[in-house]
Amino acid sequence: MQKGSVGIIGVGLIGGSIGLQALRSGRQVFLFEPFARNKVTNARFPGAQIVSTLADLVVASHLIFVATPVSAIPGVARELVNHVAPGHVVSDVASVKRPVAEILAEALLGRCQYVPTHPMAGSEQSGADAARADLFDDAVAFICPEFASEPGAVDLVTLFWEDLGARAVRSTVTEHDQLVAAMSHLPHVVAALLVNQVARSGGSRLAGPGYRDTTRIASGSPALWSEILVANSDLVLEQLTGFKDLLEEFLSLLSAKDVKKLQAFLDEAKRNRDI
Amino acid sequence: MQKGSVGIIGVGLIGGSIGLQALRSGRQVFLFEPFARNKVTNARFPGAQIVSTLADLVVASHLIFVATPVSAIPGVARELVNHVAPGHVVSDVASVKRPVAEILAEALLGRCQYVPTHPMAGSEQSGADAARADLFDDAVAFICPEFASEPGAVDLVTLFWEDLGARAVRSTVTEHDQLVAAMSHLPHVVAALLVNQVARSGGSRLAGPGYRDTTRIASGSPALWSEILVANSDLVLEQLTGFKDLLEEFLSLLSAKDVKKLQAFLDEAKRNRDI
């Protein structure tokens, strides 16, 4: 492995965007895509070295990102075990951290360094074709240091994300999962519910920009998102239940035509949104 | 009154944007702002004639738009009665049509032509300062012809909106209110609920672009929106109840960790959103 080299397992929206921006900043980049149906080409990633086995990727890379869908991570973990060495720093980018980190930590601890991360960036699109070098500009990247025995490994991963343009924020995997259940997973579910309710009421053909913005993320990959939501289901259920309580409160204010209290509710929302 | 002249009562985001774009296309524009606290100036509306009474506006204008908040419409209607003449065409732009149209139709029918409208455009901002000449570019403008005894009045209003850049769509006031309850009022409530739930769970300080887009409209004016929601409360309650049913269905799928059915739900949302 060469210092500063980065290997990416899973070249979708996130993995691909990491690759593009790492190439831009002059790093050696190795790409391995475990799913044959996803084509990764040098036309799309000029200068990257596209390898055909996970073993080839590991031997060449210093910092290794697991960027596959959540459901592929157990398989990747089992294979990583056979190839990693003490000098390696492994990270992952899954949107849910505790369940994923438990799998990877069990496989990797004692063999190499492991530092889970999660960039709060994305798009309603998915796949390598949607990857963009600027995807992480100013995005928050969570760094979870709790599994690393060498502080240098955490620093390496932190600096890497900052190099990509992100703002690194440290948290535990549990704190992370609580925060994203509210800030990311809940909005995703709500957008999907909204789209389906509007569709049942005659569709959105004539809708304005408010509807379009509010529901953009409902175009995200159903396969990826159903896995994420189930992986974080306890915390997402908590959020959805809190949301439902507020919905019931709002329903009763609207049934009573209580303009004053409705306005107070919307005022609170505006204040919270305008922060 | 001069042919083609337009008078606007209430110079906020919508009234002001109508004024700016009508000025651009060379029309004579008269502005009357009933609330002294809202300042309307020629620096903001160059070329417009700012009048100080509703009577002055009516006498000068051929086409008259009522563009005040919903709660001010009964007062405006009472005053309009004293000034309109058979040659006038009155319209309004309220986000809810049946309750508003009932008030204006009762006041105006037999005295002048009345054609309710509603442009599906807006922003989370409000007031004359937020007005933009291009606000209606490609927006749907509902035109409700059912109160006009002269088809020429409906054509005049339709052509006016098309001149402003909008796509005119005819509907009854009742059909309109059903459509916007789903496409506009429901998303507004949902965005507010989402913001308040996220705030109760630690805030959105670290949230990504998904949260920001999904909740943008929650910054809209609480005073205007509480009035709109109460004015259309029966139909909004219907939408919120349908939304709550879907939420409960989703909660039970997630509790059961039924990845397949969750994915089917998200697939349906993606298909509906991508139309």
Side-chain angles (χ1 to χ4, degrees):
Chain A
M1 74 183 80
Q2 198 181 313
K3 267 221 152 157
S5 59
V6 56
I8 300 162
I9 303 167
V11 190
L13 171 66
I14 301 294
S17 296
I18 294 174
L20 287 176
Q21 180 66 348
L23 285 165
R24 244 198 211 177
S25 59
R27 288 177 192 265
Q28 242 194 321
V29 173
F30 298 87
L31 303 176
F32 170 62
E33 172 53 55
F35 296 101
R37 64 173 179 278
N38 302 332
K39 299 287 170 231
V40 179
T41 64
N42 271 119
R44 184 77 185 93
F45 297 96
Q49 301 186 49
I50 300 165
V51 299
S52 55
T53 68
L54 192 139
D56 288 345
L57 180 120
V58 172
V59 80
S61 308
H62 178 203
L63 174 58
I64 297 164
F65 279 97
V66 181
T68 63
V70 169
S71 59
I73 287 179
V76 170
R78 277 192 299 276
E79 228 193 310
L80 271 176
V81 173
N82 303 322
H83 304 295
V84 289
H88 284 120
V89 178
V90 175
S91 184
D92 76 279
V93 295
S95 304
V96 53
K97 295 260 62 81
R98 198 185 45 78
V100 165
E102 278 172 1
I103 294 165
L104 285 167
E106 197 187 317
L108 302 173
L109 292 197
R111 297 174 193 267
C112 67
Q113 296 297 308
Y114 171 50
V115 184
T117 66
H118 174 218
M120 294 283 286
S123 128
E124 68 281 15
Q125 299 176 300
S126 55
D129 286 345
R132 300 193 334 242
D134 65 355
L135 187 69
F136 309 114
D137 279 6
D138 236 13
V140 165
F142 285 97
I143 318 278
C144 306
E146 65 216 89
F147 302 97
S149 56
E150 293 174 10
V154 179
D155 293 342
L156 180 81
V157 171
T158 303
L159 285 173
F160 181 80
W161 276 111
E162 288 174 347
D163 254 16
L164 295 192
R167 290 183 289 141
V169 171
R170 294 196 180 183
S171 80
T172 66
V173 293
T174 304
E175 282 164 1
H176 167 276
D177 288 356
Q178 285 165 340
L179 281 169
V180 297
M183 292 186 312
S184 166
H185 303 172
L186 173 67
H188 199 92
V189 174
V190 163
L193 294 169
L194 185 53
V195 168
N196 285 350
Q197 173 58 22
V198 173
R200 281 163 203 208
S201 310
S204 59
R205 197 174 42 88
L206 302 173
Y211 170 83
R212 288 195 296 275
D213 282 1
T214 310
T215 58
R216 179 180 58 78
I217 55 178
S219 285
S221 161
L224 292 180
W225 273 96
S226 50
E227 284 181 5
I228 292 168
L229 295 172
V230 167
N232 204 23
S233 60
D234 287 352
L235 296 169
V236 177
L237 283 168
E238 234 173 65
Q239 288 300 324
L240 284 172
T241 305
F243 182 89
K244 193 181 144 201
D245 292 344
L246 288 180
L247 172 55
E248 280 164 358
E249 183 188 329
F250 197 93
L251 276 166
S252 81
L253 296 180
L254 189 56
S255 300
K257 303 196 185 199
D258 189 334
V259 183
K260 229 177 195 172
K261 283 194 186 155
L262 287 167
Q263 187 175 335
F265 191 98
L266 298 178
D267 265 326
E268 187 190 334
K270 181 173 169 58
R271 273 196 311 276
N272 287 328
R273 181 57 178 72
D274 291 348
I275 282 168
Chain B
M1 76 182 83
Q2 198 180 314
K3 266 220 154 161
S5 59
V6 56
I8 299 161
I9 302 167
V11 190
L13 171 65
I14 302 294
S17 296
I18 294 174
L20 286 176
Q21 181 66 349
L23 286 164
R24 244 199 210 178
S25 59
R27 289 178 191 263
Q28 244 193 319
V29 172
F30 298 87
L31 302 175
F32 170 60
E33 172 52 57
F35 295 102
R37 64 173 179 278
N38 301 333
K39 299 286 170 233
V40 179
T41 63
N42 272 118
R44 185 77 186 93
F45 297 96
Q49 300 185 47
I50 300 165
V51 298
S52 55
T53 70
L54 192 140
D56 289 345
L57 180 120
V58 172
V59 80
S61 309
H62 178 202
L63 174 58
I64 297 163
F65 279 97
V66 180
T68 62
V70 169
S71 58
I73 288 179
V76 170
R78 278 193 299 276
E79 229 194 309
L80 272 175
V81 173
N82 303 322
H83 305 295
V84 289
H88 284 120
V89 178
V90 175
S91 183
D92 76 278
V93 296
S95 302
V96 54
K97 295 261 61 79
R98 198 184 46 77
V100 165
E102 279 172 0
I103 293 165
L104 284 167
E106 198 188 315
L108 301 174
L109 292 197
R111 298 174 192 268
C112 68
Q113 296 296 308
Y114 170 50
V115 184
T117 67
H118 174 218
M120 293 282 286
S123 131
E124 68 281 15
Q125 298 176 300
S126 55
D129 286 344
R132 300 193 334 241
D134 65 354
L135 187 69
F136 309 114
D137 279 6
D138 237 13
V140 165
F142 285 98
I143 317 280
C144 306
E146 65 216 89
F147 302 97
S149 57
E150 293 174 9
V154 180
D155 293 343
L156 179 82
V157 171
T158 303
L159 285 173
F160 181 80
W161 275 111
E162 288 175 348
D163 255 17
L164 295 192
R167 290 183 290 140
V169 171
R170 294 195 182 184
S171 80
T172 65
V173 292
T174 304
E175 282 165 2
H176 167 276
D177 288 356
Q178 284 166 340
L179 281 168
V180 297
M183 292 186 312
S184 167
H185 304 172
L186 173 67
H188 199 92
V189 175
V190 164
L193 294 168
L194 185 54
V195 168
N196 285 350
Q197 172 59 22
V198 173
R200 280 164 203 209
S201 309
S204 59
R205 195 174 45 89
L206 302 173
Y211 170 83
R212 287 195 298 272
D213 281 2
T214 310
T215 57
R216 180 180 57 79
I217 54 177
S219 285
S221 160
L224 293 179
W225 273 95
S226 51
E227 285 181 7
I228 292 168
L229 296 171
V230 167
N232 204 23
S233 60
D234 287 352
L235 297 168
V236 177
L237 283 168
E238 234 174 65
Q239 288 300 323
L240 284 171
T241 305
F243 182 90
K244 193 181 141 199
D245 292 345
L246 288 179
L247 172 56
E248 279 164 359
E249 183 188 329
F250 197 93
L251 274 167
S252 82
L253 296 180
L254 189 56
S255 298
K257 303 195 184 198
D258 189 334
V259 182
K260 232 180 193 167
K261 284 194 185 156
L262 286 168
Q263 188 175 335
F265 190 98
L266 298 179
D267 265 326
E268 187 191 334
K270 181 173 170 57
R271 274 197 312 276
N272 288 328
R273 181 58 178 73
D274 290 347
I275 283 170

